[in-house]
Amino acid sequence: MDIKEVKKKGKVGLMVCGHKEYWPQFPGMKEQFIKNATDFKKLLESQGVEVITYTNAAGDFIVDTTEDGYKAGLMFKAEDIDLLFQFNCAYVASGKYVQGIKAAGCPVVIVGYQMSLDVSKATTYWTHAGGGACPLPEAYNALTRSGIEPAGLEYGHYLIPGFDARFTKNISEWCRVATALRCMKGSIFGHLGHTYEGMLDMNFDPTTIERTFGIHVKMVEMCEFVDYVHSATDNEVKNKIKVIRDTFEFLDPSYDPTTRKITDEDLDWTARVSVGMDKLVSNNRLSGVAYYYEGLNNEYEKVACSMIIGNSLLVSAGVPFAGESDMKTCVAMYITSCLGCGGSFAEFCPTIFEEKIQMVGHDGPHDIRISSGKPQMRALTTFHGKKGEGLSVDFSLKEGPITMLGLSSDIDGNYSFSVAEGESQKGPKPANGNTMTRGYFGEGDIGAFVEDWSCSGINHHFSLSLGHNASVLKKLAKTLNIPFKQVR
């Protein structure tokens, strides 16, 4: 059984709002607005989202009455859109669209624009037909006073992709937010086993996960999983071994005494467990799994400590598996993956004070999509701090910008995002069968950075992703109505 990455498309609504009092006064203005709005629609479509528009009785997609605004809102609600762009053609009275936005029942982004204008020759017609900033304060004020806190407000120079780089970037990020919201809708995360004993920062409430992110947490059982491992056919195992050989570079033992030679028995057993993991995901329709199991040298424990390679293959197919049963970091990994940035399970490793480097990584599985080269595999005699032995993944992230996303939770269990941007730098790392990346987080004191990150309330794990993603994560936090904390 092959697990394929399913890329869900965000679904956005475009509510094009116009002031109908202009139509008899300025012939052709409505048509100009439709052209302007069509350019914006093309910008949205270029970002890979599905765009839903409302068509009024006249056959065009401008909302210019309260009645049409409400009908549009009901239509957007029925279409189950993830995000609504309220597009102001120029000035428009807010009473034409507020009821509709309430009816749509989803996060809304207010949008305005301005076309280039030769002010020395500008007619009354073009001072309106070219857009403008006038409607934006009213839109924000009217919505907030109506109990609707806009997720954002964007204003830019015309609407063609790349014409206004800042505006285009922000609209692109909102479309990525819509995709992340779409991915979370209806998703199910498995909780297998229990959190690592004594890691109090990782305990979580499944109901709060569902309330905050729309993700249902399903309790899945080791007996079901182990049954899938036992029922794996010889052909399934053979095919999985081929995938593993094609994906990983096999490493010999290193200077670290915990490493050893990879055996055929290692490979066969790891492949069998990986097949079982695929079936657990498929048969339970899981979008992610947080897992950890510790027994008394029994079969369940043997299976649980052999999930590293199958985990890495699934994470790299967009299905995060978080070790130590850290559900909060599993959610963070899913979010950064849905945003197109990858998501590797990580924590702080050694600090190289002399070079202002904070190494980040973790023992065990990782997102091989973001590896700097072909991911490597070593056999370990010891999984530090855990029982068992077996195959582990060993690589560094691609060099360049990186972002850490962690979920913080307060005394009442409410979540917030903790985010830091840095850079993955080339350089030496321990050859001990664990993934580590040399993280550089600016010229400031690295000790102070660690202090600030720790004091943000963060769980000690986080999702490590490629690119600088703080601005898009801030937008997503706004739509989820949770606090956002950026450390660097």
Side-chain angles (χ1 to χ4, degrees):
M1 179 185 305
D2 291 327
I3 299 292
K4 303 293 185 184
E5 181 174 5
V6 178
K7 177 67 173 176
K8 295 183 179 179
K9 273 188 174 185
K11 199 172 185 180
V12 302
L14 173 57
M15 181 185 281
V16 179
C17 301
H19 198 60
K20 69 182 180 64
E21 287 76 8
Y22 290 150
W23 310 155
Q25 294 178 336
F26 302 101
M29 185 174 288
K30 185 177 183 180
E31 290 71 22
Q32 180 63 46
F33 285 156
I34 291 173
K35 179 185 182 306
N36 297 347
T38 300
D39 284 338
F40 183 67
K41 183 170 182 278
K42 290 177 181 176
L43 171 58
L44 295 178
E45 290 170 337
S46 72
Q47 305 306 312
V49 292
E50 182 181 355
V51 182
I52 305 298
T53 57
Y54 168 76
T55 302
N56 61 25
D60 56 52
F61 67 169
I62 288 187
V63 166
D64 59 6
T65 67
T66 301
E67 294 82 0
D68 271 339
Y70 184 62
K71 289 178 184 177
L74 293 178
M75 185 271 291
F76 290 134
K77 180 73 173 178
E79 287 283 351
D80 187 31
I81 62 171
D82 305 300
L83 188 72
L84 177 62
F85 289 98
Q86 186 265 331
F87 181 83
N88 295 275
C89 290
Y91 175 76
V92 53
S94 51
K96 292 179 169 64
Y97 54 77
V98 166
Q99 281 192 8
I101 292 173
K102 279 186 81 74
C106 69
V108 59
V109 177
I110 300 165
V111 179
Y113 68 98
Q114 175 67 64
M115 298 174 68
S116 295
L117 193 67
D118 183 347
V119 294
S120 66
K121 299 178 181 178
T123 62
T124 303
Y125 174 94
W126 277 108
T127 57
H128 294 293
C134 182
L136 303 182
E138 177 176 342
Y140 200 93
N141 179 285
L143 287 171
T144 54
R145 291 180 64 200
S146 300
I148 305 168
E149 180 71 24
L153 186 151
E154 304 296 343
Y155 182 61
H157 188 192
Y158 202 44
L159 310 165
I160 299 173
F163 194 88
D164 180 334
R166 184 193 65 86
F167 179 78
T168 301
K169 174 179 179 290
N170 285 336
I171 295 300
S172 174
E173 289 183 346
W174 283 116
C175 290
R176 291 169 65 194
V177 165
T179 294
L181 293 172
R182 172 60 51 176
C183 288
M184 285 187 277
K185 281 183 177 176
S187 62
I188 302 171
F189 278 32
H191 188 212
L192 180 66
H194 57 83
T195 52
Y196 188 106
E197 170 59 27
M199 288 185 178
L200 301 184
D201 61 327
M202 294 198 317
N203 294 329
F204 73 99
D205 172 16
T207 304
T208 308
I209 292 281
E210 187 141 10
R211 182 190 75 205
T212 307
F213 303 102
I215 294 170
H216 177 68
V217 177
K218 181 177 183 179
M219 304 302 163
V220 290
E221 302 295 343
M222 283 296 296
C223 53
E224 177 188 358
F225 175 31
V226 172
D227 184 60
Y228 294 144
V229 174
H230 284 316
S231 64
T233 67
D234 290 343
N235 192 52
E236 288 173 329
V237 173
K238 179 182 176 182
N239 290 337
K240 185 63 71 172
I241 288 175
K242 183 180 185 308
V243 170
I244 294 171
R245 288 192 179 277
D246 290 344
T247 303
F248 295 93
E249 177 186 355
F250 289 38
L251 297 181
D252 292 327
S254 73
Y255 58 79
D256 193 311
T258 65
T259 65
R260 62 169 175 79
K261 183 177 176 61
I262 297 171
T263 66
D264 290 341
E265 290 77 14
D266 288 329
L267 195 54
D268 182 86
W269 176 245
T270 293
R272 194 170 296 277
V273 172
S274 180
V275 171
M277 294 170 72
D278 289 354
K279 292 180 179 179
L280 184 73
V281 166
S282 179
N283 292 345
N284 289 281
R285 301 172 60 86
L286 302 178
S287 297
V289 178
Y291 71 96
Y292 183 73
Y293 182 84
E294 190 172 303
L296 296 173
N297 300 313
N298 61 19
E299 187 178 29
Y300 284 8
E301 182 183 277
K302 181 183 176 186
V303 170
C305 70
S306 302
M307 296 171 66
I308 291 173
I309 302 304
N311 179 329
S312 296
L313 294 174
L314 282 163
V315 170
S316 305
V319 182
F321 266 63
E324 299 172 9
S325 214
D326 186 350
M327 183 61 72
K328 290 182 280 189
T329 298
C330 192
V331 172
M333 292 164 66
Y334 189 62
I335 287 171
T336 56
S337 180
C338 291
L339 291 172
C341 316
S344 219
F345 190 74
E347 65 187 9
F348 281 167
C349 300
T351 305
I352 315 300
F353 273 92
E354 299 84 351
E355 302 177 60
K356 297 187 176 181
I357 292 292
Q358 176 58 56
M359 302 198 82
V360 288
H362 205 277
D363 64 321
H366 287 280
D367 188 341
I368 58 182
R369 294 173 296 183
I370 59 179
S371 172
S372 60
K374 190 170 185 178
Q376 301 165 326
M377 188 167 64
R378 292 186 194 271
L380 301 180
T381 61
T382 300
F383 294 151
H384 64 260
K386 308 177 185 71
K387 291 185 178 181
E389 62 174 284
L391 302 183
S392 188
V393 178
D394 186 342
F395 72 73
S396 292
L397 264 65
K398 295 175 182 176
E399 295 166 33
I402 56 174
T403 299
M404 305 189 307
L405 167 66
L407 295 188
S408 305
S409 51
D410 62 19
I411 193 170
D412 297 315
N414 297 315
Y415 292 115
S416 60
F417 283 174
S418 288
V419 173
E421 294 181 333
E423 181 181 329
S424 170
Q425 292 192 343
K426 187 175 182 179
K429 72 178 191 67
N432 59 2
N434 291 271
T435 289
M436 288 192 198
T437 294
R438 294 169 58 88
Y440 173 73
F441 296 94
E443 279 301 306
D445 188 288
I446 190 65
F449 167 69
V450 171
E451 293 167 1
D452 292 343
W453 179 255
S454 302
C455 292
S456 72
I458 186 68
N459 180 16
H460 79 275
H461 297 140
F462 48 85
S463 176
L464 187 58
S465 64
L466 296 183
H468 282 166
N469 311 312
S471 59
V472 67
L473 289 167
K474 186 174 183 179
K475 291 178 173 67
L476 179 60
K478 183 73 173 179
T479 67
L480 296 171
N481 194 31
I482 62 176
F484 175 88
K485 309 169 188 174
Q486 184 169 356
V487 176
R488 283 269 174 103

